[in-house]
Amino acid sequence: MATTITLHQWLAFLILREKRKQEHHGDTNTNFVHKKKAAQLEYIQTAVSVALLLVQSLIVSSPSLSSQQITIDNFTVAIDDKGDAKLLLLLLNLEENPDDEDLQRIIESVTQLEFTPSTKNDSSTHANGEQQESDDDLLREVGTVLHQLFCRGIKPPIVSTNVSSPDEGDSDDDLDSEQPGAEKGRTKHSLRVAQKMLRKASISSLDECVLSYGVPRNLCRLIIDLIRCEGGNEETKFRSIEEVAEELIQIISKPNLFLYDSEATGSTGQLNFGSTLYGRRNEATSFLRAATL
């Protein structure tokens, strides 16, 4: 049996769980710092999974989607209450203060997330140029909702969509020329991975608002690129909601590479790509040949 609440209401439970896990119960400073980081990471891991459900629900609704409809209050979450009367009362009466066990059950029992817009936009047909602008508006609103999800309900500050990315202008002609009809081993997946690493290297001081909430750099860049979709770097620009879903799936499938920042994993500050090489095959071969000399 499932009970439906708004995403905004479910988010309040997620924020409350993180707050409780960070409470200082006579811990030493070191233990408290570790506890805080662990709670932040658990929050982010849960939020990433829900973010993917959110984006997938938008893909299903894409034929009639309007940017004005994409707000956090237009998403609902189905919670499997398993017929538990106590849990049902907690879900229906948010004034109640759930204990830690019930709070965990509420957060982990999400069975479905749906996009339920209250109004419909009748003006969905535009000329090609206007349609692109509409797509940018849509992606920007997706970024706004994801900002609220990862930044504990906080809306993003008003920013200019024409701000250039720090790496803009350093275009790679070889990369562009390889995309159509590239050699067999170069796939769309590897291109997106390369773009993601480019995002990680381009964090600016303007992104500190998102980073201050413990959001990993790759997710930070994803959110910022969506919010600034009209003025972002063409290398990392999103062009559809499907691309956002693909990137979230990659982040979830390879958390050690894309989700955990170096300071959270005990890195020495050096880049760690594991045993996988990303980039041009010819260049990788050259590097390996030079290493054996």
Side-chain angles (χ1 to χ4, degrees):
M1 183 175 180
T3 302
T4 300
I5 61 175
T6 68
L7 177 59
H8 207 170
Q9 292 169 332
W10 178 86
L11 184 59
F13 286 120
L14 183 62
I15 294 171
L16 178 59
R17 184 185 70 170
E18 181 189 39
K19 181 179 179 181
R20 287 187 180 176
K21 286 181 175 289
Q22 291 180 340
E23 289 177 350
H24 203 309
H25 297 294
D27 302 294
T28 64
N29 288 336
T30 302
N31 288 340
F32 178 68
V33 169
H34 286 311
K35 179 188 291 186
K36 182 177 180 180
K37 287 185 176 180
Q40 285 181 338
L41 182 58
E42 187 174 4
Y43 180 103
I44 295 298
Q45 289 172 324
T46 305
V48 170
S49 299
V50 171
L52 179 58
L53 292 177
L54 185 154
V55 172
Q56 289 173 333
S57 71
L58 290 175
I59 293 174
V60 173
S61 306
S62 59
S64 58
L65 201 57
S66 165
S67 62
Q68 296 177 350
Q69 298 170 335
I70 303 177
T71 67
I72 197 168
D73 291 319
N74 277 344
F75 293 91
T76 58
V77 178
I79 307 293
D80 184 8
D81 56 44
K82 295 181 171 56
D84 188 327
K86 179 185 176 184
L87 196 63
L88 179 60
L89 287 174
L90 287 172
L91 291 170
L92 297 179
N93 183 8
L94 297 180
E95 298 301 322
E96 292 268 353
N97 192 24
D99 59 34
D100 292 345
E101 182 178 350
D102 288 334
L103 195 57
Q104 193 76 8
R105 288 175 59 195
I106 290 171
I107 292 169
E108 295 180 348
S109 299
V110 175
T111 59
Q112 190 174 5
L113 194 150
E114 290 186 342
F115 177 57
T116 54
S118 56
T119 59
K120 291 185 178 181
N121 186 358
D122 295 327
S123 57
S124 57
T125 304
H126 303 280
N128 290 338
E130 294 176 346
Q131 181 64 49
Q132 180 60 44
E133 181 181 358
S134 177
D135 290 342
D136 286 342
D137 290 341
L138 188 150
L139 290 169
R140 185 166 53 251
E141 294 308 318
V142 173
T144 297
V145 174
L146 293 185
H147 187 286
Q148 290 177 270
L149 179 61
F150 287 104
C151 296
R152 286 61 170 178
I154 303 299
K155 291 184 178 181
I158 298 176
V159 295
S160 170
T161 57
N162 294 320
V163 176
S164 298
S165 175
D167 49 42
E168 188 171 3
D170 297 333
S171 60
D172 194 327
D173 294 335
D174 294 335
L175 179 62
D176 291 338
S177 62
E178 284 183 2
Q179 291 184 22
E183 56 184 296
K184 194 172 181 180
R186 188 152 186 86
T187 64
K188 181 179 179 182
H189 172 78
S190 63
L191 282 172
R192 296 298 296 168
V193 169
Q195 290 171 353
K196 191 181 285 81
M197 301 317 296
L198 180 62
R199 284 199 188 96
K200 189 168 185 178
S202 62
I203 296 296
S204 71
S205 60
L206 296 176
D207 303 324
E208 291 179 359
C209 175
V210 182
L211 291 172
S212 66
Y213 287 93
V215 180
R217 285 174 171 77
N218 284 302
L219 279 171
C220 173
R221 275 265 48 100
L222 184 151
I223 294 169
I224 297 300
D225 284 347
L226 285 170
I227 294 174
R228 296 177 180 158
C229 55
E230 292 178 0
N233 190 312
E234 287 299 317
E235 293 284 355
T236 60
K237 180 181 174 67
F238 287 102
R239 292 172 176 80
S240 69
I241 300 179
E242 286 79 5
E243 287 188 358
V244 181
E246 289 175 7
E247 184 145 322
L248 287 170
I249 289 172
Q250 288 181 24
I251 290 173
I252 292 172
S253 64
K254 293 180 182 268
N256 288 331
L257 182 60
F258 298 130
L259 188 57
Y260 307 142
D261 281 341
S262 58
E263 57 267 23
T265 56
S267 170
T268 60
Q270 298 177 336
L271 290 176
N272 179 14
F273 296 96
S275 59
T276 307
L277 287 175
Y278 300 96
R280 298 181 184 80
R281 183 177 177 182
N282 292 339
E283 291 182 1
T285 303
S286 299
F287 291 149
L288 291 174
R289 187 183 300 114
T292 59
L293 294 178

